[in-house]
Amino acid sequence: MAISTLGLYSQAIILFAALALFTSFMMLAQARMMPLIFTFAWQGLLLAVVSVLVAIVSKHPHLYVSAALTVTLKVIVIPWLLYRLSVRLNMHYDAEVIKHPTLLLLGGVGLVIFSYYVAQSIVHLSGLATRHTIAVSIAIELLGMLLMSVRKSAVAQVIGFMSMESGIFFAAVVSTYGMPLIVELGVAFDVLVASILFGVFFFHLRDSFGSLNVVRFNRLSEAIEPPPLPDAAGESTLRDPS
């Protein structure tokens, strides 16, 4: 079905879904922490707008509650928490070096193409007005996973995790017109608790290791005395550390 034959609201859903996908690419290419947080907030706002449009098309009023929760958590609360953490940890001016950014964006494009290939069967079988955006929701999840994989900062990896959760929520909205309200409330509460726990976790990491760069954690080593080696007479001797 051509996009031009769709209704106004369905075309608006596709437009805002494409903008949400664009914010995932912006997060991949963003090296500074503060713009990364603000881009995540913009993605949450766009997903909330899509939820409202889907509620209008499908006449499911509980999606308005989902949109309100999305705005509250992913546009206001979680970005504010991440902002305060970045300021208190003196990370708001930090710029992370991204190796091979062009290859990274090309890899993101490949994931989008793969998402459309995977979603072909769903699009052909679905009769929902939002079937064109199912591939976008899969792509947002995969790009969030890619963000977690390539970034070295723990805060950036948490933002990638939250972006993956946004993709899962978006997939539920566009594929089934939303989950039951009690499930959405439970997921929203879990996301809020997880964001608070991540904040506590960041402070513990910074106090213990002096950095939130996960690459440095892999270099940690613990001095352990080597086990004794038996000598020719069968008695145990300690290995010379030199």
Side-chain angles (χ1 to χ4, degrees), residues 102-118:
T102 303
L103 293 178
L104 179 61
L105 293 177
L106 289 177
V109 172
L111 290 178
V112 174
I113 296 174
F114 174 74
S115 301
Y116 272 89
Y117 175 77
V118 170

Side-chain angles (χ1 to χ4, degrees), residues 81-141:
L81 288 175
L82 293 175
Y83 172 78
R84 294 297 301 170
L85 285 172
S86 299
V87 171
R88 293 184 64 181
L89 295 173
N90 295 322
M91 298 179 60
H92 49 298
Y93 293 122
D94 291 350
E96 181 179 342
V97 178
I98 302 177
K99 296 182 179 179
H100 310 295
T102 303
L103 293 178
L104 179 61
L105 293 177
L106 289 177
V109 172
L111 290 178
V112 174
I113 296 174
F114 174 74
S115 301
Y116 272 89
Y117 175 77
V118 170
Q120 278 184 352
S121 58
I122 304 175
V123 170
H124 289 305
L125 294 177
S126 176
L128 302 178
T130 56
R131 60 185 179 274
H132 295 277
T133 56
I134 294 176
V136 176
S137 63
I138 298 175
I140 291 176
E141 295 177 40

Side-chain angles (χ1 to χ4, degrees), residues 158-201:
V158 167
I159 293 177
F161 171 77
M162 294 293 178
S163 180
M164 285 183 60
E165 194 278 330
S166 297
I168 296 173
F169 168 76
F170 188 40
V173 170
V174 301
S175 60
T176 62
Y177 289 154
M179 298 174 288
L181 181 58
I182 186 64
V183 176
E184 295 181 4
L185 291 174
V187 171
F189 179 75
D190 290 341
V191 170
L192 178 61
V193 172
S195 62
I196 296 174
L197 292 179
F198 278 131
V200 177
F201 179 64

Side-chain angles (χ1 to χ4, degrees), residues 1 6 17 21 29 64 85 89 107 129 142-143 147 163 166 168 173-174 180 200 203 214 220 229:
M1 180 184 296
L6 298 175
L21 180 60
Y64 293 111
L85 285 172
L89 295 173
L142 295 179
L143 291 176
L147 179 63
S163 180
S166 297
I168 296 173
V173 170
V174 301
V200 177
F203 280 110
V214 296
L220 296 177
L229 295 177

